[in-house]
Amino acid sequence: QVQLVESGGGLVQPGGFLRLSCAASGFTFSRYAMSWYRQAPGKERELVAVITSDGGSTNYVDSVKGRFTISRDNAKNTVYLQMNSLKPEDTAVYYCNAFRGAQRYWGQGTQVTVSS
């Protein structure tokens, strides 16, 4: 059974940081590219960051470049999103996604709230 379980969300003040984790099981993690999406209330789900299956290449939406870092540990079947200098507009539910060709898996999401 495929599972993607996100953790690490919470409430943080502007300028703070959080590290999200996504633990994968039930598929060959090292063969899948991984990404993080987010969805704020009343908005469409947005791609935030993506990393290739071997971790050799990453890409980010412009609004998080220089603040967020995606990484993965294929030995631990885990992908991370380090979020620094958080802003109120980063408030959203963050979702982990695995994809390979037409195959896609989603996690259940973790809430990130940036507020003073």
Side-chain angles (χ1 to χ4, degrees):
Q1 181 181 0
V2 171
Q3 281 195 308
L4 293 172
V5 181
E6 299 99 333
S7 60
L11 173 64
V12 62
Q13 292 187 343
F17 63 91
L18 285 173
R19 188 194 196 203
L20 305 184
S21 299
C22 172
S25 60
F27 64 101
T28 307
F29 180 78
S30 62
R31 294 182 181 177
Y32 283 69
M34 298 296 297
S35 58
W36 287 94
Y37 283 73
R38 66 185 179 187
Q39 188 166 19
K43 294 188 176 181
E44 293 187 354
R45 192 170 294 191
E46 172 189 43
L47 176 63
V48 175
V50 61
I51 188 167
T52 53
S53 58
D54 65 355
S57 181
T58 59
N59 207 355
Y60 302 89
V61 67
D62 285 347
S63 59
V64 308
K65 284 181 180 177
R67 299 189 298 121
F68 289 12
T69 302
I70 187 171
S71 62
R72 65 189 295 160
D73 185 338
N74 284 351
K76 295 182 178 180
N77 288 359
T78 302
V79 63
Y80 306 97
L81 186 67
Q82 178 68 43
M83 306 187 294
N84 298 329
S85 302
L86 282 161
K87 304 175 181 181
E89 52 263 43
D90 295 319
T91 295
V93 177
Y94 283 71
Y95 297 90
C96 174
N97 172 263
F99 64 98
R100 182 170 185 251
Q103 195 75 55
R104 279 190 177 270
Y105 305 123
W106 290 94
Q108 82 289 348
T110 185
Q111 176 70 46
V112 171
T113 303
V114 184
S115 175
S116 54

